Amino acid sequence: MTEEVSAARIALAEALADAARAVISGHFRRPLAVDDKSDLTPVTVADRAAEAAMRQLIEKRFPDDGIIGEEHGSIRGEAEHVWVLDPIDGTKSFISGIPLFGTLIALARRGRPVLGIIDQPILGERWLGVAGRGTLLNGAPVRSRRCAALERATLFCTAPELMFQGEDAAGFARLRGAVKLFRAGADCYAYAQLAGGFIDLVVEGQLKPYDFCALAPVIEGAGGTITDWQGRALDLGSDGRVVACGDPALAAPARALLAGG
Amino acid sequence: MTEEVSAARIALAEALADAARAVISGHFRRPLAVDDKSDLTPVTVADRAAEAAMRQLIEKRFPDDGIIGEEHGSIRGEAEHVWVLDPIDGTKSFISGIPLFGTLIALARRGRPVLGIIDQPILGERWLGVAGRGTLLNGAPVRSRRCAALERATLFCTAPELMFQGEDAAGFARLRGAVKLFRAGADCYAYAQLAGGFIDLVVEGQLKPYDFCALAPVIEGAGGTITDWQGRALDLGSDGRVVACGDPALAAPARALLAGG
């Protein structure tokens, strides 16, 4: 069987995370101008410089690969291999001095994520998922936990009030009412803890490909599942509503409540 | 002028934080039974053992001092000096693998908090505030930042949906609508970042003395303010609704919105 991701591209992914970590660490809890983007989300020089450093490495080592980045846009998006980059997922935490943000690095092959990294630069934690392999946290295997009953589950969602409107908000409220424990505000760090076996469900909406592509290989390689709200695998064309489950048995009951009970 | 807090009690406070840190670190991201308390909040052996370790040190060094603890109750509550302990503020984060919880240690003298510690065992961060002195983070001074306009402010609140009902919920919604950026889910870590100059406002409700007493010396020693929603200084009898401001100039407009605009 041919490996889906070459050793050279795995090495590049790690190099991208190293480069972003170096840039971001130098700006954490330092004076920093915060700009508002067109969607009114904040952005800083750290976001822009970290993505630029990663793009430069990709251009040097795999100049035919495509790139989709949160801050600097898309290039060669039709290539077989496309890197999908979010230099700082959780900029609101970053500018608030809270080390729950992360650098998200995905490699999509023919539109489907086959490698994902969640890197926390300040805590020095890196989750690496590669299709067909087990997920690693700083080189050590991690597994999601079994929890097949919603009434025993811990649910995270970064900001329900911003992510859901109308029917989606009603569906999320039903799910939130059914779980044991709900918590907001963790961005990609919640998905990493789901992969590690400490959280059972993360349900979010209005995500972009650079927010969700890196999550899939990390979660799937740890024994969990992540799909859209209809249960379809995530790809570059997904609509940005995701259901991540540590225990695959939670997925059907969670999606049923989201869809209307 | 006599110091309000003796060097021996400051040394004890640090020893309490060291003791709690040792206990809690050994349980983070390890398999752990989670019990539900009567108020349906979670508690673990780490909470109980960390508080027990702190109480033992107090009994040994200052046996006449009172103790109020979240997990093991009150003793000698009428003493001049009362230690107010929350071994893990943010147990929901703790059991979810997220290092935003903290150990809160306060010393109240005649009911008024004169020493506060916020300790993050996993990140190795300790904020120490003592009446009449500047707040220290791991020994280095920290200052809150200036931000006198609500429309430029960052607001945190751990869980508005659990902390506010009725008129309080309406007041909080007005405030949230007036600020630049809102974020949930950080427990005591948000107050520490306010002291450090990265967050402007934290507004919460339904706090207990062991949740809020340690915050006051940390925030006041960094140049900020923390009061109840009527602007009164916090003491052991406060009602558990707090407004913390990095810039004292934010306090009046924030309280006005909370009270009805």
Side-chain angles (χ1 to χ4, degrees), chain A residues 17-97:
Chain A
D18 291 342
R21 192 185 277 197
V23 171
I24 292 164
S25 302
H27 289 287
F28 185 60
R29 294 190 187 166
R30 306 265 165 85
L32 200 58
V34 178
D35 300 326
D36 296 325
K37 295 197 283 192
S38 57
D39 62 358
L40 295 180
T41 60
V43 64
T44 71
V45 64
D47 302 71
R48 294 187 179 116
E51 184 175 319
M54 291 192 282
R55 298 175 81 110
Q56 197 170 25
L57 283 171
I58 296 167
E59 295 287 358
K60 191 170 157 192
R61 299 202 200 168
F62 287 95
D64 296 331
D65 285 5
I67 306 174
I68 298 173
E70 172 163 19
E71 309 305 342
H72 298 294
S74 298
I75 185 169
R76 299 181 296 276
E78 303 305 311
E80 179 181 354
H81 291 95
V82 176
W83 295 88
V84 189
L85 309 174
D86 188 350
I88 301 181
D89 178 74
T91 302
K92 290 179 183 177
S93 282
F94 174 70
I95 61 177
S96 301

Side-chain angles (χ1 to χ4, degrees), chain B residues 58-71:
Chain B
I58 296 167
E59 294 287 356
K60 190 170 158 192
R61 298 202 200 168
F62 287 94
D64 297 331
D65 285 6
I67 306 175
I68 298 173
E70 172 163 19
E71 309 304 343

